[in-house]
Amino acid sequence: MNSMLLAFGALDARLATHCRLLSLRQHEQQVRIGVHAFERQAPQRLWFDVDLCVRLEQAPAARDDISQTVDYDFIRQTIASAVGTQHHELQETLCDTLLAAMLRRPDVQAARVATRKPDVYPDSASVGTERIGIKPW
């Protein structure tokens, strides 16, 4: 079994038993990012994976209504805002910025953010970084 919720639960069991996991996978944006000269010539593809542990009382899904959970648009809008139009040197700092933004939401108890550049090296599928953060209960 490959479950991010269980992975979070290994860090703190309450994340698996008291939260719902919301995920966005391989969300693609054109981003001005990189330290190499060839990366500064034009925006490049960047993939974003985001997992959010949302407390069940904040996302009970007791009714089939969007008000009963966190709208995924928030994740996409947060990514777009962080990416902006400026040049980013490092994936690491962009990833850190996104993680902090996800954790600022009061209903998010924990988050994982990963970024990957698929077009940097011809002999690699992608290069990337990942961060996880958990708020105190």
Side-chain angles (χ1 to χ4, degrees), residues 3-17 53 134:
S3 169
M4 284 305 301
L5 191 57
L6 289 177
F8 275 109
L11 300 172
D12 184 328
R14 293 172 292 186
L15 293 172
T17 59
C53 289
I134 303 171

Side-chain angles (χ1 to χ4, degrees), residues 1-10 16 21 23 25 51:
M1 178 185 295
N2 183 11
S3 169
M4 284 305 301
L5 191 57
L6 289 177
F8 275 109
L21 187 81
S23 298
R25 292 281 178 265
D51 295 298

Side-chain angles (χ1 to χ4, degrees), residues 1 4 29 39 41 43 52 58 68 76-78 82 84 92 107 109 129:
M1 178 185 295
M4 284 305 301
Q29 291 279 310
E39 294 179 299
Q41 294 174 1
L52 303 179
Q58 301 293 322
Q68 294 287 297
R76 295 174 68 248
Q77 291 164 354
T78 302
E92 290 82 355
D107 48 5
Q109 185 63 37
T129 189

Side-chain angles (χ1 to χ4, degrees), residues 57-114:
E57 62 263 18
Q58 301 293 322
R63 294 186 326 275
D64 194 19
D65 187 273
I66 192 65
S67 68
Q68 294 287 297
T69 192
V70 173
D71 190 337
Y72 294 93
D73 285 347
F74 148 74
I75 303 170
R76 295 174 68 248
Q77 291 164 354
T78 302
I79 292 169
S81 177
V83 165
T85 57
Q86 74 272 22
H87 184 87
H88 302 272
E89 293 289 316
L90 303 174
Q91 285 189 75
E92 290 82 355
T93 54
L94 180 56
C95 191
D96 289 352
T97 297
L98 284 168
L99 179 64
M102 299 299 168
L103 290 172
R104 273 195 293 277
R105 278 193 61 127
D107 48 5
V108 173
Q109 185 63 37
R112 172 189 161 270
V113 176

Side-chain angles (χ1 to χ4, degrees), residues 38 47 53 59 80 125:
F38 69 88
W47 292 336
C53 289

